[in-house]
Amino acid sequence: MSLTALKVKNAKAGRHCDGRGLYLDVQPSGSRSWLFRIQFQGVRRDFGLGSVRDVCLADARIAAAEMRRKVRSGGDPAADRRSARRSVPSFESAARACYETLKAGWKDSRQGIWIASFERHVFPMIGSKPVDTVDALVVRDVLEPIWLTVPDTANKVLQRINAVLDFAHIKGWISKEVSLRSVRKGLPRQNNTGSHYAAMPYQDVPAFLQAIAAMPPTLGRDALQLTVYTAVRSNETRFAVWSEFDLEKGVWSIPAERMKMKVAHAIPLSKPALALLRRMHDDRMDDDELLFSPNGVKPISDMTMSKVLRDMKVENVTVHGFRSAFTDWSSEMTDFPKEVADKALAHKIPDRVEAAYRRTDFFEKRRKLMQAWADYLATPAEPKTKSA
């Protein structure tokens, strides 16, 4: 007997025939889907027609009738499906195509961060899925592991996935726009901690840096050491070129266009920072090449320094957080005025009147501060005593 809507709803586990090769397949879990069976060139073939949630009985019959018509006319339904699948790229292919199209209008720093967030958090989970199968439920599952641990990154990844799906719709890979408005409703509420970066306590930084220095040098380790010694932002390290450094005077001069606040920043280099740079300087090919690059032209990715932390099993710490550790150390362990530390970090002065009258950059005081920081980082770690 043919199926009815009521029978489809109440059918128990098993395979239920509707006639002419169409079956309702009910799993023990309760999931229900359509199956179409047909003989093609003497071979029995089964084709899934979708879930009952998405395809009603009438539509399943229409799909089965269309397949029968194709077979009668000599067509191969399996070949047609393979061709259709090939025409829709994977999510990773769509994301990279979107990236290549949009990146021309971005700053260099944003380019690396944008695609790196996909490579770390998205591609391992859904990179191989056809882009037209990525919906709000799939995106929720991608974001769940990082939603509370790195909320700022999770929100940016959500925005970037939405951009990829919009791009895929414009390209014709997805038949209709995908709304991700419901994704947040399927995830716990995030705490409002957006602007703070996870930082290592300043007391732990010396032992950490000394452990890195004892290892064989790599681009990531050298870049992280220079970043910690100078308390700069990671992008300021990643895009540094040799022409910015005067090793004789011990100064790193970063031009305004590379600074977040678009103000040129001169950094006094401490003795260990200079020692690191002089070791690297002998291997350079040209003064205009990048310090931290596999080929002198393309910078290391934003995740290269973060990988050093992961490889050393350092959790809940970001590269940017070392600036916070520097700030805490300066406040707790030194008598240097706050404005000197702020200038060392190239912070913007929030008060316009104060900014207008503050003409000095405290360079000589900052040189003493950065050397004091380096001396602190060289402090021998205290041996841990066993508790009684």
Side-chain angles (χ1 to χ4, degrees):
M1 295 179 62
S2 298
L3 296 172
T4 64
L6 186 61
K7 289 180 180 178
V8 170
K9 180 180 179 181
N10 297 324
K12 295 182 179 180
R15 190 165 287 179
H16 307 272
C17 182
D18 182 61
R20 305 192 68 188
L22 180 63
Y23 292 86
L24 170 68
D25 186 54
V26 182
Q27 296 296 314
S29 63
S31 65
R32 299 160 192 269
S33 59
W34 297 108
L35 178 70
F36 178 62
R37 175 172 293 173
I38 195 170
Q39 289 286 121
F40 179 75
Q41 297 179 346
V43 178
R44 189 188 77 185
R45 294 189 179 181
D46 292 343
F47 298 93
L49 301 181
S51 168
V52 168
R53 291 181 304 172
D54 304 318
V55 182
C56 66
L57 175 59
D59 288 342
R61 287 170 175 167
I62 291 172
E66 178 63 20
M67 281 200 170
R68 285 194 296 270
R69 184 192 64 77
K70 287 183 178 180
V71 171
R72 285 197 303 270
S73 62
D76 182 352
D80 290 345
R81 285 196 162 191
R82 286 195 297 271
S83 177
R85 282 197 294 269
R86 281 196 297 271
S87 66
V88 176
S90 67
F91 180 85
E92 179 171 351
S93 295
R96 292 191 183 279
C98 176
Y99 167 71
E100 291 298 328
T101 300
L102 300 180
K103 71 176 185 178
W106 299 340
K107 295 180 180 178
D108 290 343
S109 59
R110 184 182 175 192
Q111 291 181 18
I113 294 171
W114 200 93
I115 198 65
S117 66
F118 279 98
E119 291 170 343
R120 182 176 183 186
H121 301 297
V122 183
F123 293 160
M125 296 184 70
I126 63 169
S128 61
K129 288 180 68 69
V131 69
D132 62 345
T133 65
V134 176
D135 57 15
L137 181 60
V138 171
V139 175
R140 184 199 71 85
D141 291 342
V142 169
L143 296 176
E144 187 175 30
I146 61 172
W147 190 248
L148 295 180
T149 56
V150 280
D152 185 57
T153 298
N155 282 291
K156 289 177 180 177
V157 169
L158 175 58
Q159 295 170 8
R160 292 162 188 166
I161 291 176
N162 195 67
V164 171
L165 296 180
D166 285 346
F167 178 81
H169 173 58
I170 295 298
K171 296 288 287 185
W173 299 329
I174 299 177
S175 59
K176 58 182 180 180
E177 292 188 53
V178 179
S179 173
L180 300 182
R181 288 193 297 271
S182 62
V183 169
R184 296 177 186 276
K185 296 180 181 178
L187 293 164
R189 183 176 180 180
Q190 294 172 326
N191 293 325
N192 186 24
T193 58
S195 62
H196 299 286
Y197 292 87
M200 179 181 291
Y202 71 84
Q203 298 92 333
D204 297 340
V205 180
F208 170 76
L209 201 63
Q210 290 164 36
I212 293 177
M215 296 179 179
T218 64
L219 285 175
R221 291 172 193 156
D222 286 349
L224 185 55
Q225 286 184 78
L226 184 63
T227 300
V228 175
Y229 279 130
T230 54
V232 297
R233 300 174 179 89
S234 60
N235 282 341
E236 291 157 12
T237 298
R238 289 175 55 232
F239 290 92
V241 295
W242 281 111
S243 58
E244 295 174 355
F245 293 85
D246 185 333
L247 299 187
E248 292 299 319
K249 294 182 178 179
V251 181
W252 177 9
S253 301
I254 306 178
E257 59 268 21
R258 288 218 307 111
M259 295 299 298
K260 180 178 180 181
M261 300 305 171
K262 302 305 177 186
V263 176
H265 185 46
I267 302 169
L269 297 167
S270 61
K271 292 177 182 178
L274 278 169
L276 170 65
L277 290 166
R278 285 180 176 133
R279 171 175 61 77
M280 296 176 58
H281 190 257
D282 293 338
D283 297 328
R284 80 194 190 289
M285 298 296 292
D286 189 280
D287 283 344
D288 290 327
E289 72 178 18
L290 294 162
L291 274 68
F292 302 105
S293 166
N295 56 13
V297 178
K298 183 179 180 181
I300 58 174
S301 77
D302 194 51
M303 305 309 298
T304 303
M305 286 185 273
S306 298
K307 185 176 182 300
V308 176
L309 295 170
R310 296 200 306 273
D311 290 347
M312 296 183 69
K313 311 300 182 186
V314 177
E315 300 179 352
N316 301 321
V317 171
T318 63
V319 175
H320 195 93
F322 284 105
R323 286 166 57 85
S324 296
F326 170 80
T327 301
D328 293 344
W329 164 83
S330 178
S331 299
E332 296 278 347
M333 302 290 290
T334 80
D335 294 325
F336 286 94
K338 180 180 182 298
E339 55 265 27
V340 175
D342 285 343
K343 194 64 180 181
L345 294 166
H347 280 166
K348 183 179 180 180
I349 301 173
D351 188 300
R352 290 186 178 181
V353 176
E354 182 183 357
Y357 282 94
R358 186 185 291 176
R359 302 298 183 185
T360 181
D361 64 357
F362 302 111
F363 187 84
E364 292 305 323
K365 289 185 178 179
R366 285 193 289 119
R367 185 178 288 283
K368 294 178 181 178
L369 173 64
M370 301 315 293
Q371 186 57 50
W373 172 236
D375 293 341
Y376 174 74
L377 294 175
T379 304
E382 294 182 6
K384 295 182 179 179
T385 57
K386 294 183 179 180
S387 56

